[in-house]
Amino acid sequence: MNTPQKELIVLDVKPGIHMESQSGIAQLWPKIYGAIVRAKDRRTAAIVMHPASNFMGHYLLEPMAAAGITMLGLNSRYLNNDSQLIMERVLQDLGAGVRYLREQGYEKVLLIGNSGGAALASYYQAQAENFTATHTPAGDPTGLSPADLPPVDGIVLTAAHPGRSRLFSDWLDPSVIDERDPYSANPALDMFNPANGPAYSPEWLAQYRAAQLARNERIEQWARAQLAYIRAMPVPVRDMAFLIYRTAADPRHLDPSLDPNDRPAGSNIWGDPREVNYGANNIGRYTTITAYLSQWAPSTKADGPSNLIETSIPVLSIEHTADASVVPAMNTLWQSRQPGRITRHELKGGTHYLAGQPEKVDETVEAIKGWAERVL
């Protein structure tokens, strides 16, 4: 059997209103890049895309194309750098990919929302069906129109985070005392303090979760006040950068009895939980105010489950049972508001990235192919 070959595609996209994210000539003439693997059957195609990660080498590209569904691994203009990422601009980039596939003659187009791409896929289709994204959460006009967001025919959620803001609040370290000090810690709220656990008591965990939400709300209040201040200056400033320390402190990383699945104990998908939390780089560590408000803040418009409710197309959810990042409560969150609408497939033993699990990749391909043949 001939192995399908990747082709590089380059798509022109409109610059942002404030030309976020790019340098030099790319600010005025931004381009996004993708890798397409074409199936012999040209009726159905799918896009796998993440707000900032490079999905041109995604593990589903060749296997899905070999199974009969053309695959486009698409990157946004914020590739490998989400410090200025505006989710509404990523919608525009995804829309360029959908339009490209429609122009290529594909009758059916799917969005495969893998990991952080799940909330993106949901936000995209919600806006494609009922456009409201005229402004970002910072109040800036997006310059988008419904024509920029052609709708798709189905969504696949796989190892699906419910959204950047939800993940951020679940992982934010509430023991931080001083936002300017990366090492300040309230011992009573420190998940790495042996006096607290693991195992963690329900009472302590309730206090911890409430403190996480409170910290994110404080950061948003500060960000909005700072944004108003700099934009009201005699010579207005549109945006500013800042740091958010310790953003990888979910007690489930140390206590597998919380939201139990098949993940190993004491695991974070990127390494030792304490080292990752105190490390120089993690989710939301370096950001601008407008990027924080668009993706990490409680008031983001890009929440996955809330947007999925606003869509009308078929949905498949593939749940990885050994995932150290997406735990059962997150899978349940997608289902809870629309019971019975989402087709579920349990990928037993599947880790978050399916690294070294070719049989799980094959099972994922078969699940998507079978579902698509039944519902499209």
Side-chain angles (χ1 to χ4, degrees), residues 167-175 189 191 205 207-218 249-251:
L167 187 71
F168 192 72
S169 288
D170 280 349
W171 285 19
L172 202 58
D173 189 338
S175 71
L189 287 173
M191 67 173 265
L205 192 62
Q207 293 176 349
Y208 190 92
R209 293 302 190 198
Q212 285 180 304
L213 292 173
R215 183 185 174 202
N216 203 10
E217 288 169 354
R218 286 196 304 273
D250 189 335

Side-chain angles (χ1 to χ4, degrees), residues 36-52:
I36 190 167
V37 188
R38 301 181 192 273
K40 291 182 179 180
D41 186 336
R42 298 296 182 93
R43 288 177 296 181
T44 304
I47 299 176
V48 60
M49 183 180 185
H50 187 278

Side-chain angles (χ1 to χ4, degrees), residues 120-143:
L120 169 62
S122 302
Y123 188 23
Y124 177 88
Q125 182 62 19
Q127 289 299 314
E129 294 190 27
N130 180 28
F131 179 74
T132 60
T134 57
H135 291 77
T136 71
D140 298 320
T142 63

Side-chain angles (χ1 to χ4, degrees), residues 154-212:
I155 292 175
V156 177
L157 309 172
T158 175
H161 287 302
R164 303 200 120 197
S165 176
R166 288 184 188 267
L167 187 71
F168 192 72
S169 288
D170 280 349
W171 285 19
L172 202 58
D173 189 338
S175 71
V176 170
I177 297 171
D178 184 347
E179 293 291 347
R180 299 164 297 181
D181 182 351
Y183 304 109
S184 65
N186 176 356
L189 287 173
D190 186 355
M191 67 173 265
F192 302 103
N193 179 359
N196 297 323
Y200 303 104
S201 72
E203 295 77 17
W204 182 87
L205 192 62
Q207 293 176 349
Y208 190 92
R209 293 302 190 198
Q212 285 180 304

Side-chain angles (χ1 to χ4, degrees), residues 32-109:
I32 59 173
Y33 299 85
I36 190 167
V37 188
R38 301 181 192 273
K40 291 182 179 180
D41 186 336
R42 298 296 182 93
R43 288 177 296 181
T44 304
I47 299 176
V48 60
M49 183 180 185
H50 187 278
S53 293
N54 185 350
F55 273 11
M56 289 175 65
H58 197 276
Y59 58 80
L60 287 177
L61 297 187
E62 289 89 351
M64 286 288 293
I69 296 178
T70 289
M71 286 293 297
L72 172 57
L74 191 62
N75 291 337
S76 81
R77 68 187 70 193
Y78 302 100
L79 175 61
N80 294 331
N81 183 0
D82 59 12
S83 61
Q84 296 185 72
L85 187 149
I86 304 298
M87 287 296 296
E88 291 70 25
R89 194 66 52 224
V90 182
L91 295 184
Q92 177 185 315
D93 294 348
L94 179 50
V98 176
R99 180 178 299 104
Y100 169 81
L101 292 176
R102 295 294 192 197
E103 290 172 350
Q104 293 282 301
Y106 290 98
E107 300 171 14
K108 302 293 183 180
V109 176

Side-chain angles (χ1 to χ4, degrees), residues 243-296:
L243 295 175
I244 305 176
Y245 294 112
R246 309 221 302 269
T247 59
D250 189 335
R252 292 174 291 201
H253 294 158
L254 291 182
D255 189 347
S257 71
L258 304 174
D259 261 345
N261 62 2
D262 302 327
R263 68 187 185 273
S267 62
N268 177 298
I269 56 172
W270 297 309
D272 175 78
R274 190 181 190 282
E275 183 177 340
V276 172
N277 185 49
Y278 279 87
N281 182 38
N282 209 277
I283 62 170
R285 176 75 81 254
Y286 175 84
T287 186
T288 68
I289 291 175
T290 60
Y292 166 78
L293 293 174
S294 184
Q295 57 186 322
W296 306 117

Side-chain angles (χ1 to χ4, degrees), residues 29 36 54 97 111 122 137-138 146 163 194 210 240 243 253 264 273 280-281 292 308-309 336 353 357 365:
W29 292 282
I36 190 167
N54 185 350
L111 298 182
S122 302
M240 64 171 270
L243 295 175
H253 294 158
N281 182 38
Y292 166 78
L308 194 66
I309 292 173
S336 60
Y353 295 116
Q357 296 184 297
V365 170

